[in-house]
Amino acid sequence: MKMNITNKAVLFLAFGMLSLGAAAQKITVPAPSPLQTVTQKFGLGEVTVEYSRPGVKGRTIFGDVVPYGKIWRTGANATTKITFTDEVKLEGNVVKPGTYGLYTIPNKDSWEIMLYKDLTLNGNVGDYKTENEVLRFKVKAIKIPMKMESLMINIGDISATESKLMLLWENTVIAIKMTTDIDARVMQSIDESMKSEKPEYFRAASYYFDNGKDLKQALVWATKATEENPTAFYMFNLKARIEYKLGDKAAGKASAEKSIALAKDAKNDDYVALGEKLLAENK
């Protein structure tokens, strides 16, 4: 009799534990405003944006869901964060390396953009304090004919020293000019490299050519690079472009043809095409 009671108790306890486990089972569903992190190399550093992406979902966003003239967290859920590992300028305003909250005030024709020190404010914009602002500036709001369903923050139109921080949602685009001053530091690193045991001739020549500096010096370095790397088709392509830019068509043609031959040996169709295009443009 005691054994039967014990067995029943064990069975009852086991059934109860299973029931509790079943009750605690969580339902997994997609996030309504999924998190995205965008990291972009820019200048000599990186820019990272971490934000949640709400959708339009048939609503009117700007002027309704996101009212005009009021502070917005520029996303959903937690604070939208932007991190710079190197100094940049946003619309001419200096921003030191660090992580900031990205807040905005949308209006019909223009937006106010604010970088904010407090990363814990999230959507509690009623507690927003102007003394926590790092900077504030205005940019034009651009209307587009197509609809962007999910909020997108991205970095585009990238060059060595300039790019655009882009915000797109619904029928609105915000483009913030982002610049960085790296020339002095790059020039110093080139000087230091040239004094070292193994100078980076190709990289130095490329920087001089791309940034409109002394082309004769760039050619000296490009020539040294090809002498050290006699099968590097991409180095001969650079040498040809420098020679053509200096007005030496005969030398440019010879270097371009060398680049094409080496690229064919390496089965690199892209540089074959680049070399042939270079020849065609400089007949």
Side-chain angles (χ1 to χ4, degrees):
M1 186 68 178
K2 289 182 179 179
M3 182 64 71
N4 289 338
I5 292 173
T6 303
N7 288 343
K8 287 180 179 179
V10 170
L11 287 171
F12 179 79
L13 181 60
F15 179 76
M17 291 176 69
L18 288 171
S19 298
L20 286 171
Q25 184 68 40
K26 292 183 178 180
I27 298 174
T28 303
V29 296
S33 300
L35 183 69
Q36 182 174 58
T37 300
V38 177
T39 299
Q40 177 63 58
K41 294 279 188 183
F42 174 59
L44 300 180
E46 285 184 348
V47 181
T48 299
V49 183
E50 182 181 311
Y51 69 110
S52 293
R53 304 184 64 188
V56 173
K57 300 176 182 176
R59 304 172 294 176
T60 298
I61 300 301
F62 297 114
D64 188 358
V65 175
V66 178
Y68 288 136
K70 293 187 177 181
I71 296 172
W72 179 42
R73 79 180 83 181
T74 323
N77 304 327
T79 300
T80 293
K81 301 178 187 69
I82 184 164
T83 300
F84 305 96
T85 63
D86 196 21
E87 182 178 294
V88 301
K89 288 182 180 179
L90 298 181
E91 294 291 335
N93 300 282
V94 174
V95 181
K96 297 293 184 183
T99 300
Y100 308 94
L102 178 62
Y103 286 87
T104 52
I105 300 177
N107 286 291
K108 189 174 181 181
D109 299 317
S110 66
W111 284 30
E112 292 184 63
I113 312 295
M114 297 92 78
L115 294 190
Y116 199 70
K117 294 178 184 177
D118 183 0
L119 302 179
T120 66
L121 183 63
N122 301 327
N124 303 315
V125 294
D127 297 327
Y128 187 94
K129 295 179 175 61
T130 54
E131 57 263 33
N132 284 333
E133 285 183 6
V134 176
L135 63 84
R136 180 188 290 226
F137 57 90
K138 287 185 178 181
V139 291
K140 184 180 178 182
I142 303 168
K143 298 299 179 183
I144 55 174
M146 71 285 291
K147 180 184 285 186
M148 179 64 67
E149 173 64 28
S150 298
L151 171 66
M152 177 185 292
I153 302 176
N154 208 348
I155 299 157
D157 295 349
I158 303 162
S159 68
T161 59
E162 187 173 320
S163 64
K164 288 179 182 174
L165 178 63
M166 310 283 291
L167 186 151
L168 306 90
W169 199 21
E170 198 182 26
N171 301 108
T172 298
V173 174
I174 302 298
I176 302 168
K177 184 178 179 180
M178 183 162 56
T179 57
T180 182
D181 185 8
I182 63 170
D183 185 67
R185 286 181 287 166
V186 173
M187 293 296 285
Q188 182 180 350
S189 69
I190 289 174
D191 289 342
E192 291 171 356
S193 178
M194 293 305 128
K195 295 172 186 175
S196 68
E197 293 183 2
K198 194 168 179 58
E200 294 189 82
Y201 293 122
F202 175 70
R203 185 167 290 184
S206 296
Y207 187 80
Y208 266 48
F209 178 76
D210 292 339
N211 291 276
K213 295 189 179 294
D214 186 348
L215 287 178
K216 291 182 179 179
Q217 181 60 70
L219 181 57
V220 170
W221 289 333
T223 301
K224 288 181 179 293
T226 57
E227 289 170 352
E228 291 183 352
N229 303 273
T231 62
F233 48 85
Y234 56 94
M235 293 186 182
F236 279 95
N237 181 274
L238 173 64
K239 185 171 181 281
R241 286 184 288 146
I242 295 171
E243 288 164 338
Y244 276 129
K245 197 74 177 275
L246 285 168
D248 191 343
K249 287 194 171 185
K253 183 173 183 289
S255 294
E257 289 173 343
K258 180 71 173 179
S259 174
I260 293 168
L262 291 171
K264 286 179 178 178
D265 291 342
K267 295 182 171 56
N268 190 302
D269 294 337
D270 289 342
Y271 266 88
V272 171
L274 285 172
E276 290 174 345
K277 182 180 179 181
L278 192 58
L279 287 174
E281 290 173 344
N282 290 279
K283 283 184 176 178

